Each structure stands twice: as structure tokens, then as C-alpha cells.
Amino acid sequence: MAATLAAKLAGASNESIQKVLLSFRPLPHRMEFVARKNQVAFFNDSKGTNVHSLCRSLESFEEPVILIAGGKDKGEEYQPLARYIRRHVKNLILVGEAKEKLNRAIGDFTETFLVGTFEEAVYLAYQKSRSGDVILLSPGCASQDMFKNFEERGNYFKKIVDSF
């Protein structure tokens, strides 16, 4: 909105503003659309490494969400996620060092699965999905328990999705 207003004030036409908005691509790993497979949409939000960003990501969807979360705990409280999990998440798939802590805080609010590997999390999410669902990687945790950084985690997610 701010950019649109600034462009208008600078004299840009509605058509040129619309063209730019339609061609905008978000930065990788930040609510990045990855693919649509069998009417299931995959989104990579590997940069969502804290509770606040995970809440914002979940608010982005009206469709049922299968959420892949977990990783290295950063000492945050996960209880604030409860209302977002209840409202948006069809299945919760937890992985990584924080999976037990996450499960204790939010696992009772939807069907929840604890898995051992990242690959298992992505495969299970796809297995549980139905037409119209969204599979969202938005960990709410750091990546360093399994990956070098959030980019490596997000790229691996995209690689697995591409294999479907």
C-alpha cells in the first residue's frame, strides 16, 4: 500500500502500478509459493523462525493448512500459537529438537504427528493432504538442528516437493 501510494504521488499510472504488482515475486523462503500438485498448494516459509512470524503466516490462509513446524528451539513460548492452530491447521506435523515442546504446547488443538526426519514430515504432509489443502513449511524455530540455515531447509523442502 505504501509503495502504491508513493508511486501514485510520483505520477505513476494505475496500469504501470498494476503491472509491477502482478509481476512481483517474494524473496525465497518467505511465504514462497513452491508448486501445486494434485490441487494441493505448497508454500515455503522457512524464514518463519519465530512464533510471531508463524502466526502471521497462518493468518494468510483460508484453506485448510497442513503445517510442518519444528526445528531448534529458541526459548520462545509456543502457547500463543494455540488459537491460530485451532482456526487454520488441519494437521500439525512436528519435527526436530523442539517437537516435544511444541507438542506439549499446541499438539492437542488439531491432529498432530511427531516425526523423526524432515523428509518424513514432507511426505506425511502430502499423504494427509486433500484437494484444496495448503501444505505450509513455517517452522517457528531455528534450522540449526538439521540444517546449516533456513535457506538450506527451504531449498530442501522445495527439492522434496519437486520430486512428487
Side-chain angles (χ1 to χ4, degrees), residues 133-144:
D133 287 348
V134 166
I135 295 176
L136 171 64
L137 168 64
S138 190
C141 296
S143 57
Q144 287 81 10

Side-chain angles (χ1 to χ4, degrees), residues 5 18 22-23 41 61 63 71 74-75 84 99-100 104 107 125 127 129 134 138 145 149 151-152:
L5 180 59
Q18 183 177 15
L22 291 173
S23 66
F61 297 101
E63 303 88 350
K74 295 166 64 172
Y84 299 92
K99 68 184 174 189
E100 296 290 342
R104 284 189 300 279
Q127 198 173 51
S129 69
V134 166
S138 190
D145 60 336
N149 52 42
E151 293 98 341
E152 184 179 71

